[in-house]
Amino acid sequence: MKIEFSPALPEGTRLVAYVADQDKLPGGIEPALAEGAKAARFKGRAGELFEGFVERGGAVVRVAIAGAGESGAEARSGNLEKAGAALAAKYLTSGEKSLAVDFTGSGLSPEAVATVLLGLRLRAWRHDAYRTKLKDEQKRSLETVVVVGAPDGAEAAWAVEAGLAEGVEFTRELVTEPPNKVYPISFVEKCREAFKDTGAELTVLDEDEMARLGMGALLGVGQGSAQPSRLLAIKWSGGGSEAPTVFVGKGVTFDTGGISLKPGAGMEDMKWDMGGAGAVAGAMLAAVKRKAKANVVGVVGLVENMPDGNAIRPSDILTSMSGQTIEVLNTDAEGRLVLGDALYWAQKEFSPKRIVDFATLTGAMVISLGHEYAGVFANDDGLADDLLQAGKTSGDRLWRFPLDPAYDKLIDSQIADMKNVGPRPAGSITAAQFLQRFVEKGTAWAHCDIAGMVWADKPGATWDKGATGYGARLIDRFVRDTLEG
């Protein structure tokens, strides 16, 4: 969607929107609109929308008022996003091609205006590439948003948030595409195209290079697939000489479960088992697009987990890059195998200041937190606190879970250094304990299990049904507050 700034309403404008705080109407609107809003019991609550029609300059104009909630509310940023999102949801398929948003006299700061626009653009995203039989009223019509009456500095503020929007949209695209379109090699190619001429450095390891490095855990997951595995690193150096912060993403582009085959019902959802990799790639694109003053690296392990005569079997033993051996009890507990090698390689390659991984790792996390929070585990309280705050600010919320040596016995193996799955209790915790074994002593590390958050069965505040883009905003806010702040 194209967002433009203009000093005045374009001639012939047919659709104009305003943003209003709770219990306040925009100044200067026609009495008929004010009376209509009152009659409709419009209060200006966050995301609430009122629509009316008035005559202006001899033409009928469609007017909308979007509620932004209470001006002093703790959730102000989220409420402003809801106001913008409500406009997108209402008019995306309305038949209107252009929407003017008039901030004259709104009293909103430049940052607040940018937040409204962020909500509008994010909610306007949809993926129609393969839908060939949409009716006219189902097709996206809104192409342009014209911003008028914005305070000085709003356009510059939006330029920053536009980079974030592009990153979230990239995450959603990667997560939404079917597995015959996004697989390890095509994921890499999509990233090459997205980061072309941006100044980011991309490094790609193929299977031969990973084999030479001893990445038997990651390669073991992908050895049953016709699609070759890859490891991708995206490096952005915008912060001087300090050690980078590294984000690692699980990129299982489709997960059948392997020999430990998943039930057929619902298996189609496993196209988004690369949601962690998508979040990392999108966050890196956001950082690059807004020229973040930080040194950050995104590393994603990309595999497809398929059953095959060459696939790993329950009871196989894999040797990881770290030299630690893993007894495979369940080939459907594959994400931790991918992350173990990716985490270890990232530490050896970049000597990070901090390292955080993102993965749709366990169904147990969905049982624990549903679809409202992702879980976070950390070996460093300061890192955990920074992530929790970034989650609260961005809206990609986290809830902290424990790490404790008492759980290690649940994944100890009698014939290898560890087994890849423990008993049913504490399933998310034992997965995190597994990953911790690949983190070098003295390295601040956190693990975010985002299994319940990357896909939604119903619309949310700034997304429609489908890919939410979860994780990209969390990482972006973490970078802004802890590395650039």
Side-chain angles (χ1 to χ4, degrees):
M1 174 178 288
K2 189 176 182 181
I3 296 181
E4 305 172 342
F5 284 74
S6 174
L9 284 172
E11 186 176 349
T13 297
R14 296 175 18 147
L15 174 60
V16 182
Y18 303 90
V19 176
D21 290 334
Q22 190 163 322
D23 297 322
K24 292 175 65 177
L25 291 174
I29 63 170
E30 290 81 354
L33 281 176
E35 286 298 318
K38 182 178 179 181
R41 297 182 177 179
F42 175 78
K43 298 294 184 183
R45 289 180 287 266
E48 187 180 9
L49 195 71
F50 169 76
E51 181 184 60
F53 293 83
V54 295
E55 182 183 345
R56 291 181 180 175
V60 175
V61 177
R62 195 174 185 177
V63 179
I65 305 173
E70 297 179 2
S71 60
E74 183 180 358
R76 179 61 166 171
S77 181
N79 288 345
L80 289 167
E81 287 183 16
K82 288 178 181 178
L87 293 171
K90 175 70 175 178
Y91 296 112
L92 190 64
T93 60
S94 65
E96 300 286 357
K97 291 185 176 182
S98 178
L99 163 67
V101 185
D102 191 348
F103 290 100
T104 303
S106 67
L108 294 179
S109 67
E111 293 74 21
V113 169
T115 301
V116 172
L117 298 178
L118 177 63
L120 197 161
R121 176 161 160 179
L122 291 180
R123 185 60 179 83
W125 185 89
R126 53 188 275 178
H127 194 74
D128 291 335
Y130 309 113
R131 305 179 74 185
T132 64
K133 296 184 178 181
L134 289 173
K135 298 177 182 178
D136 286 344
E137 61 269 24
Q138 295 174 315
K139 293 178 181 178
R140 176 177 180 152
S141 62
L142 191 62
E143 299 172 352
T144 305
V145 175
V146 180
V147 182
V148 299
D152 291 343
E155 191 166 2
W158 167 241
V160 174
E161 300 307 324
L164 172 58
E166 193 169 345
V168 174
E169 290 166 350
F170 187 49
T171 295
R172 291 177 178 176
E173 177 189 344
L174 291 169
V175 172
T176 301
E177 286 280 3
N180 63 322
K181 299 296 183 179
V182 169
Y183 41 89
I185 289 177
S186 67
F187 188 110
V188 170
E189 291 309 310
K190 283 181 176 292
C191 286
R192 287 192 193 278
E193 181 63 28
F195 288 91
K196 186 179 180 180
D197 299 326
T198 63
E201 301 175 40
L202 272 62
T203 301
V204 182
L205 302 186
D206 63 19
E207 291 188 332
D208 289 341
E209 291 170 297
M210 288 188 281
R212 283 195 293 271
L213 291 168
M215 293 188 186
L218 186 154
L219 290 172
V221 175
Q223 72 185 41
S225 173
Q227 297 291 350
S229 301
R230 291 290 185 266
L231 187 77
L232 168 66
I234 306 165
K235 182 179 180 182
W236 172 253
S237 302
S241 59
E242 66 178 21
T245 295
V246 175
F247 303 99
V248 178
K250 169 191 168 185
V252 180
T253 58
F254 193 75
D255 182 20
T256 65
I259 297 300
S260 305
L261 193 66
K262 293 178 182 289
M267 193 190 287
E268 68 276 6
D269 289 345
M270 289 299 96
K271 72 175 185 177
W272 48 254
D273 206 21
M274 38 61 67
V280 169
M284 289 301 301
L285 185 61
V288 168
K289 288 292 183 178
R290 62 181 182 78
K291 305 296 182 185
K293 295 179 174 61
N295 293 335
V296 287
V297 180
V299 175
V300 293
L302 300 165
V303 302
E304 187 178 62
N305 187 22
M306 299 289 284
D308 178 79
N310 195 45
I312 56 172
R313 296 148 295 215
S315 78
D316 280 358
I317 293 180
L318 305 176
T319 301
S320 68
M321 182 182 172
S322 70
Q324 298 177 94
T325 56
I326 305 160
E327 180 187 9
V328 177
L329 296 186
N330 188 329
T331 65
D332 195 23
E334 84 299 329
R336 63 202 71 183
L337 302 176
V338 175
L339 286 174
D341 274 343
L343 282 165
Y344 192 79
W345 179 82
Q347 291 167 91
K348 292 299 184 184
E349 186 73 14
F350 299 109
S351 301
K353 179 181 179 181
R354 288 170 151 185
I355 189 165
V356 185
D357 73 74
F358 290 80
T360 51
L361 204 63
T362 66
M365 186 55 68
V366 184
I367 300 301
S368 297
L369 295 177
H371 303 283
E372 302 299 329
Y373 288 81
V376 61
F377 304 78
N379 66 3
D380 181 272
D381 289 340
L383 175 57
D385 289 344
D386 287 342
L387 285 166
L388 289 166
Q389 184 57 52
K392 183 177 181 180
T393 304
S394 67
D396 285 357
R397 299 184 297 176
L398 293 169
W399 193 269
R400 191 174 183 185
F401 279 68
L403 286 171
D404 193 295
Y407 293 100
D408 278 331
K409 62 181 179 291
L410 299 177
I411 55 171
D412 286 339
S413 168
Q414 292 184 347
I415 61 170
D417 295 326
M418 70 192 88
K419 51 192 179 184
N420 78 321
V421 66
R424 186 175 178 84
S428 297
I429 299 173
T430 53
Q433 295 288 147
F434 179 97
L435 295 178
Q436 190 175 30
R437 297 188 180 198
F438 297 88
V439 178
E440 296 188 311
K441 187 176 182 180
T443 299
W445 159 77
H447 159 59
C448 297
D449 190 336
I450 63 175
M453 302 304 294
V454 303
W455 193 264
D457 292 330
K458 58 184 180 180
T462 56
W463 60 85
D464 203 345
K465 290 188 285 187
T468 64
Y470 183 94
R473 298 187 65 180
L474 170 61
I475 297 172
D476 181 78
R477 177 48 58 184
F478 176 84
V479 170
R480 293 194 204 195
D481 290 349
T482 66
L483 302 180
E484 297 182 276

